[in-house]
Amino acid sequence: MFARLAAAASLAALVAAAPPPALEKGQPPITAHTSSSGAALAPEQQAVRFDTADLAFEIFPEREAIAGVATLHFTAKRPVSRLVIDLDRNLPVSAVAIDGKTLAKGAWSNPEGRMTITLGKTVPAGRTVAATITYGGTPHVAVRAPWDGGFVWAKTPDGRPWVATAVQMEGCDLFWPCIDYPTYEPGRIDLHITVPAGLSAPSNGVFKGKQTLPDGRTTWHWSVVQPTLYGIALNVGPYEEISGTYKSRFGNSIPMFYWHLPGEKAQASALFAEFSKTLDFFESVIGPYPFGDQKLGVVETPHKGMEHMTINAYGNEYAKTPFGFDNLFQHEFAHEWFANQLTAANWDDFWLHEGFAAYMQPLYGEWLDGDWSYNVMLAQSRLGIAAQSPVVRGIPQTAEDVYEKDPGRGGDIYTKGAWTLHTLRNLIGDKAFFDAVRLLVYDRTDPKPGNYTQTFRTTPDFIRIVNQVTGKDYRWLFDVYIYDAALPRLVQTRTGDSVTFTWQTPEDKPFPMPLEVRVGDRIETLAMRDGTGTLAVPASVHIVADPRAKILRQSDTVDAFRAWRQAQTDKRKAD
């Protein structure tokens, strides 16, 4: 332990003493490999396990530049003679050492953002290897954070530096060397962040201490356990801190922190007051806060927000919804469960992050105020479902593939995902639904602090869990909602005093979704086992199918509204 801490301190000192890197003119644009997170793994990457990382940064706000020293520890799963590590080529590497021995300049190359290091030896299976990489330069600037990732170099209202990172789409390699694939999360990362005098650097995990250098610069040491890769974040500014402790219903105490800009004490305190209530909702409805032994942390950022593990980015300008809470804070906090504790094994299953987090908002409204909030929020999100592309394709995807390239898919991983969960909950009932969610998140239905570990999940995992909990096969529901684009259509046909309802699905896939029908002042339920059902109803009696909107389905009314809204948007653009 002490040797490890000493090495970490040495790295921090090395970075702190380094001169500012020179700005490069004509710097090459970001490569296709670096711009997208989750690209196919190289064979050399598949051959290792990423164990731990020690990352030392110095931030130069006035130059919009960084210097870094990263020591990455791997275990060989089979013999390896080369390491392949992702790092943006816009951050040139000046030195590499393997197990403390400096390599010659020609031992590494990084033409496209996937750096290859020739070790000069073969590491046998089961043995460890440490790579220390010294690098620096001008990192990619986020054009529209957090949707387009990189660094945000901003100024506070009084003109002081205000810096943040957000790299979900492009990945960790935008500012630190890593294996940019969801399942390659190390067990621990230590961060040593050196910043100019008068600035703070809140980051992930537990605060280990601050060192003040002779010229007033400070180095902040944080240590985070089981971090998500894109969740590692740098935040620099003249922050003020609000802190408190949450007494969990599970018996543990959770430290809470909010770092905000000066001059916002009243608004910041009001937001901080939401922390305990929101935490109580998640712990009572889903399960224990996954990182209670680290912290609940939020930091104000010059971009909108992002689910950076234990240091969620917040830039919502203290906006409130009509439902009595800050929806951005609540959404990003939901990702502590659905992204950071549960992590999609591949970006093809991105909806496991966003669909579940999106559904947590109407659930929170229901928990706070009852059905009206739940129903209104779901109705609002229903208007956003495009249903033009499958939510999941069943093949490996990058984050960019899912979020940006397919028409409608980026939004549908939120809205269609949330409505799929709403429909599933109504179909199987609350007990089965929440048991399935806990199994997905914690791998057990009785989670308590200390009795679970992080999970990596796929959509087939969730289907298996739902089937396990219910004792029935619900693959048909996911085949239609998740693996196909178009929504199921309910066709209603009247013949005399009878009405027949029939589900129509793409490629005539089975869809035995039970259907409630309001007949006058009573509700009838049709089993629809073969996708169809008939009721005897006099022609004079008014009927409404699915009167309580329990089922996600195609709607002529919604389609007409979406078409009208798109026409208005097109007209404004033309004008």
Side-chain angles (χ1 to χ4, degrees):
M1 175 185 291
F2 295 106
R4 191 184 301 275
L5 290 173
S10 297
L11 285 171
L14 176 60
V15 172
L23 291 175
E24 292 190 332
K25 294 183 179 180
Q27 192 175 46
I30 190 171
T31 67
H33 176 79
T34 301
S35 68
S36 190
S37 180
L41 292 164
E44 294 89 346
Q45 293 175 318
Q46 295 175 352
V48 298
R49 184 183 71 229
F50 191 4
D51 296 327
T52 63
D54 195 291
L55 308 176
F57 302 96
E58 180 156 14
I59 314 300
F60 305 100
E62 298 305 321
R63 302 175 63 83
E64 297 188 358
I66 66 171
V69 179
T71 296
L72 316 178
H73 295 264
F74 302 97
T75 297
K77 295 189 287 186
R78 54 180 181 265
V80 292
S81 58
R82 299 194 308 173
L83 291 177
V84 174
I85 297 170
D86 300 313
L87 179 65
D88 187 1
R89 67 179 182 182
N90 286 12
L91 298 172
V93 173
S94 58
V96 175
I98 297 298
D99 294 331
K101 181 179 179 180
T102 301
L103 299 183
K105 290 283 187 181
W108 72 87
S109 63
N110 189 23
E112 296 297 327
R114 176 162 274 186
M115 180 171 59
T116 299
I117 303 171
T118 301
L119 300 178
K121 62 181 180 180
T122 297
V123 180
R127 298 292 294 274
T128 61
V129 59
T132 299
I133 300 167
T134 303
Y135 65 100
T138 53
H140 184 68
V141 173
V143 176
R144 190 174 64 102
W147 299 277
D148 293 301
F151 269 70
V152 180
W153 305 96
K155 297 286 187 182
T156 63
D158 61 359
R160 287 183 284 180
W162 191 18
V163 184
T165 59
V167 297
Q168 184 177 39
M169 293 298 103
E170 294 80 3
C172 45
D173 52 328
L174 274 189
F175 70 100
W176 62 278
C178 59
I179 296 179
D180 185 16
Y181 198 85
T183 57
Y184 273 70
E185 298 173 356
R188 190 191 73 254
I189 295 179
D190 281 275
L191 299 106
H192 312 268
I193 308 164
T194 300
V195 298
L199 302 180
S200 303
S203 193
N204 309 87
V206 176
F207 181 54
K208 295 295 187 178
K210 179 180 73 171
Q211 178 186 5
T212 301
L213 303 175
D215 62 359
R217 289 177 297 155
T218 53
T219 299
W220 301 69
H221 179 195
W222 299 87
S223 185
V224 57
V225 178
Q226 291 188 317
T228 48
L229 294 172
Y230 74 87
I232 295 298
L234 303 179
N235 304 280
V236 179
Y239 289 115
E240 295 179 356
E241 177 189 297
I242 302 175
S243 63
T245 301
Y246 172 77
K247 301 294 186 182
S248 168
R249 62 180 55 237
F250 292 96
N252 57 321
S253 295
I254 301 171
M256 303 184 299
F257 299 89
Y258 177 45
W259 288 274
H260 63 91
L261 295 185
E264 300 176 346
K265 189 59 179 286
Q267 295 180 95
S269 297
L271 178 64
F272 186 75
E274 292 191 35
F275 289 14
S276 292
K277 185 184 294 185
T278 311
L279 189 46
D280 190 38
F281 157 73
F282 279 104
E283 290 210 322
S284 62
V285 174
I286 306 301
Y289 176 58
F291 312 110
D293 56 348
Q294 299 186 64
K295 71 173 183 297
L296 187 173
V298 179
V299 60
E300 188 175 4
T301 56
H303 64 83
K304 193 72 172 177
M306 180 54 66
E307 62 268 21
H308 297 146
M309 177 188 162
T310 70
I311 189 69
N312 285 328
Y314 173 84
N316 203 33
E317 299 180 349
Y318 303 103
K320 294 286 188 183
T321 68
F323 310 103
F325 62 91
D326 190 304
N327 63 340
L328 188 134
F329 160 70
Q330 200 269 357
H331 177 83
E332 304 304 350
F333 188 48
H335 282 306
E336 296 285 27
W337 285 261
F338 304 101
N340 297 333
Q341 166 60 24
L342 171 162
T343 303
N346 181 270
W347 286 113
D348 190 41
D349 296 297
F350 208 159
W351 84 280
L352 296 178
H353 293 191
E354 301 298 353
F356 277 85
Y359 187 54
M360 291 302 109
Q361 296 220 323
L363 273 183
Y364 187 43
E366 181 182 48
W367 187 78
L368 286 173
D369 283 331
D371 292 347
W372 85 273
S373 293
Y374 179 86
N375 293 331
V376 171
M377 279 189 265
L378 274 172
Q380 290 174 340
S381 70
R382 174 63 183 86
L383 302 176
I385 298 176
Q388 296 177 348
S389 299
V391 172
V392 174
R393 293 200 179 279
I395 57 175
Q397 304 276 291
T398 67
E400 189 179 44
D401 289 335
V402 176
Y403 206 92
E404 297 178 353
K405 289 185 178 179
D406 292 324
R409 191 178 181 194
D412 278 5
I413 63 175
Y414 296 79
T415 53
K416 194 178 182 185
W419 264 84
T420 297
L421 296 174
H422 164 71
T423 304
L424 177 66
R425 179 188 173 198
N426 280 301
L427 180 61
I428 67 176
D430 276 9
K431 183 181 187 309
F433 177 80
F434 288 108
D435 278 351
V437 172
R438 291 183 192 102
L439 281 168
L440 183 74
V441 173
Y442 303 102
D443 205 26
R444 60 192 305 155
T445 57
D446 63 341
K448 297 178 179 61
N451 75 353
Y452 58 85
T453 58
Q454 185 181 35
T455 61
F456 293 96
R457 296 300 197 189
T458 65
T459 301
D461 287 335
F462 188 45
I463 298 171
R464 172 183 54 78
I465 288 169
V466 170
N467 292 348
Q468 171 190 331
V469 168
T470 61
K472 298 179 180 179
D473 187 358
Y474 286 104
R475 170 77 195 199
W476 57 267
L477 182 144
F478 295 91
D479 279 346
V480 171
Y481 285 136
I482 299 299
Y483 290 104
D484 231 320
L487 297 177
R489 179 187 295 269
L490 184 64
V491 178
Q492 178 177 318
T493 307
R494 177 175 281 278
T495 305
D497 286 341
S498 69
V499 179
T500 298
F501 299 91
T502 303
W503 288 115
Q504 291 183 350
T505 62
E507 303 175 13
D508 294 323
K509 290 181 176 179
F511 194 70
M513 177 67 72
L515 178 69
E516 290 184 349
V517 182
R518 178 177 291 148
V519 181
D521 59 358
R522 73 181 193 279
I523 289 181
E524 301 273 0
T525 300
L526 296 174
M528 306 289 281
R529 290 188 180 89
D530 61 353
T532 188
T534 300
L535 282 175
V537 182
S540 61
V541 176
H542 181 64
I543 61 175
V544 178
D546 188 27
R548 291 180 284 196
K550 290 184 175 182
I551 303 168
L552 173 59
R553 60 190 176 99
Q554 183 273 339
S555 165
D556 290 341
T557 303
V558 172
D559 290 348
F561 173 80
R562 285 178 55 86
W564 172 84
R565 185 172 61 182
Q566 185 60 51
Q568 298 301 305
T569 300
D570 293 343
K571 184 176 183 299
R572 284 194 296 271
K573 288 180 179 178
D575 292 342

